[in-house]
Amino acid sequence: DLANAYSTVGMVSLERTMFRNLLLNLVYDFSHEVHRVRPRNLNAPMDLTSTTPRSCSIDQPLTSCARPVSGKGNILNLESTGQEKLHSFRVIYRDRFSIFNLSGSYTWGRAVTDSLPAQLAANNYPNGVQYGLPDGIPADNYDLKSDWALAAIPIRQTWNNTFNIRMPFGIF
């Protein structure tokens, strides 16, 4: 059964004015998304040498692998079992002196997920290609928690600064 994905989001912020003109803002953000949709191969080749169910590795001989439903190929199932957690911390400052304004921010972010985007999964988990699977299939279809990894957030750290000068006669 597919379920609608939803997120729990939280933020804590502290803002303080210091030295009369310096504004400092500290922000912590948190997000936890559950029921992310991801594909899964229900008939993935199983490792026959393992005591617990797990998918065959890429360098394993095919003679030690067997599909649960023999004679059938891949049985793909779209399910909503994925998760993602995001944490970010921001420091923002703004200072005004005379005709100058100085402002800047630093952001650090970290996200982990067990449902990788298709392109990233294809690059990091090539066993899907070995068995002719589409992108985004988990590395181990029998142990989905093994896919927990850093998510492909665009930028983990950013630093921005601006410096403005007020022009004479009110010209910007």
Side-chain angles (χ1 to χ4, degrees):
D1 292 336
L2 283 178
N4 289 330
Y6 64 90
S7 295
T8 303
V9 179
M11 182 181 83
V12 176
S13 176
L14 174 67
E15 188 171 295
R16 189 77 186 206
T17 302
M18 305 168 74
F19 310 117
R20 213 169 148 204
N21 289 330
L22 176 64
L23 177 70
L24 189 63
N25 193 357
L26 305 173
V27 182
Y28 169 73
D29 293 306
F30 170 78
S31 174
H32 182 204
E33 184 179 1
V34 295
H35 297 301
R36 289 174 59 113
V37 175
R38 66 174 164 189
R40 182 176 172 196
N41 185 5
L42 299 178
N43 201 29
M46 189 181 296
D47 183 359
L48 299 175
T49 62
S50 175
T51 56
T52 59
R54 70 174 193 179
S55 293
C56 290
S57 63
I58 194 167
D59 56 351
Q60 191 168 349
L62 294 178
T63 56
S64 64
C65 299
R67 291 188 183 268
V69 181
S70 61
K72 295 273 186 188
N74 298 324
I75 300 173
L76 301 179
N77 184 42
L78 191 63
E79 50 189 42
S80 53
T81 57
Q83 299 183 55
E84 181 174 275
K85 293 180 182 178
L86 169 70
H87 302 272
S88 71
F89 181 73
R90 291 179 284 160
V91 177
I92 303 163
Y93 69 91
R94 186 172 52 235
D95 196 0
R96 183 178 187 172
F97 50 98
S98 183
I99 61 170
F100 305 106
N101 285 329
L102 178 65
S103 63
S105 67
Y106 171 77
T107 303
W108 174 87
R110 181 175 188 260
V112 291
T113 184
D114 66 353
S115 50
L116 297 174
Q119 184 179 16
L120 185 64
N123 293 339
N124 292 333
Y125 301 108
N127 75 339
V129 176
Q130 177 183 1
Y131 298 109
L133 299 175
D135 295 345
I137 296 291
D140 188 346
N141 286 280
Y142 301 103
D143 180 17
L144 299 176
K145 293 193 184 300
S146 66
D147 271 353
W148 274 103
L150 288 175
I153 59 175
I155 299 172
R156 287 184 44 107
Q157 297 185 57
T158 59
W159 180 262
N160 297 312
N161 285 307
T162 59
F163 183 75
N164 298 324
I165 300 173
R166 187 173 23 178
M167 300 297 288
F169 308 114
I171 300 172
F172 292 101

